Amino acid sequence: HLRLRGARVEDRQLERLADLPRLRFLNLPHADFTDEGLAVLASCRKLELLRIGSPRVTDEGVAAIAAARHSVRLETYRFHSGSPGNQFLEALVRAQQRGVQTYVIADAWGSQELADSYWEPLRNAGGEFRWFNERNHRGFVFRDHRKLLVCDERVAFVGGFNLASEYAGDGVTHGWCDVGLQLEGPLASLLAES
């Protein structure tokens, strides 16, 4: 048995993590894949692999933003207008209008087709948007390939999801084939800090 912040973690909770491939892809600054680090994962109330491109990923991400009461943090490499980008922007604006602190970072190179003015509705509502490394030759090699959505530091989505139409599909005949992880629990707070 393990103890983490006073909580007892049973061995069977760790066993459910055995099927998750390559947990190190989470790229957390606090991650240690020792028993204690795995105990943080095991303490998640929800830990589910998601297939990127599925409408369910968009629906659940937008629903998490709609349910947020305190904060939403979104970080991505590719964000394009159209579907699903517009759905996320609309949900972010509505969240900010409800008083939820909303922060977005998009990679300037990966999202280069998106005009800066696209983010005006969010900025006008009081939300924050930043480009990661403006497009120039010096910043070309330093990109932000993280894809992360954290709502209220309790629900998080991490993995291969970019918010662009070319990711929609089954991953075989159309769209990218990639995976992500939806989780609820203490790990979401660590992701928000990262």
Side-chain angles (χ1 to χ4, degrees):
H1 301 292
L2 301 170
R3 288 207 174 269
L4 181 65
R5 296 183 189 147
R8 184 178 167 124
V9 179
E10 302 290 334
D11 291 335
R12 70 183 183 294
Q13 289 175 295
L14 292 175
E15 288 172 13
R16 68 179 222 212
L17 299 174
D19 294 331
L20 293 177
R22 297 184 214 164
L23 291 173
R24 287 170 179 80
F25 83 94
L26 291 172
N27 192 23
L28 296 173
H30 308 290
D32 63 56
F33 291 91
T34 61
D35 286 345
E36 185 172 326
L38 289 174
V40 172
L41 286 173
S43 68
C44 291
R45 289 180 297 281
K46 180 176 186 175
L47 194 61
E48 182 179 351
L49 284 173
L50 300 172
R51 184 179 55 79
I52 305 309
S54 163
R56 186 169 154 236
V57 173
T58 298
D59 294 345
E60 293 198 22
V62 168
I65 294 169
R69 297 293 167 244
H70 306 288
S71 66
V72 174
R73 292 172 176 85
L74 174 64
E75 183 176 2
T76 191
Y77 178 68
R78 293 179 69 79
F79 194 114
H80 291 176
S81 62
S83 183
N86 290 354
Q87 293 159 277
F88 275 84
L89 177 61
E90 290 167 8
L92 292 163
V93 170
R94 285 192 302 271
Q96 184 64 44
Q97 290 170 338
R98 289 192 315 273
V100 175
Q101 293 299 304
T102 306
Y103 310 94
V104 178
I105 297 174
D107 186 88
W109 192 265
S111 301
Q112 63 186 306
E113 297 168 15
L114 193 62
D116 188 66
S117 60
Y118 179 83
W119 297 103
E120 286 308 309
L122 181 64
R123 289 179 177 131
N124 290 340
E128 293 186 34
F129 171 79
R130 300 277 190 270
W131 291 111
F132 179 84
N133 263 355
E134 295 288 337
R135 289 175 289 213
N136 61 47
H137 296 292
R138 291 178 303 226
F140 178 74
V141 295
F142 300 106
R143 306 289 13 123
D144 183 359
H145 283 276
R146 290 172 27 131
K147 292 93 177 174
L148 176 64
L149 171 63
V150 182
C151 298
D152 289 340
E153 299 184 9
R154 63 175 191 79
V155 177
F157 298 80
V158 62
F161 64 92
N162 283 295
L163 300 174
S165 61
E166 63 266 24
Y167 289 83
D170 61 9
V172 177
T173 60
H174 179 72
W176 286 86
C177 182
D178 212 334
V179 295
L181 183 66
Q182 179 182 0
L183 58 95
E184 294 179 13
L187 185 53
S189 177
L190 294 175
L191 285 164
E193 292 175 17
S194 72

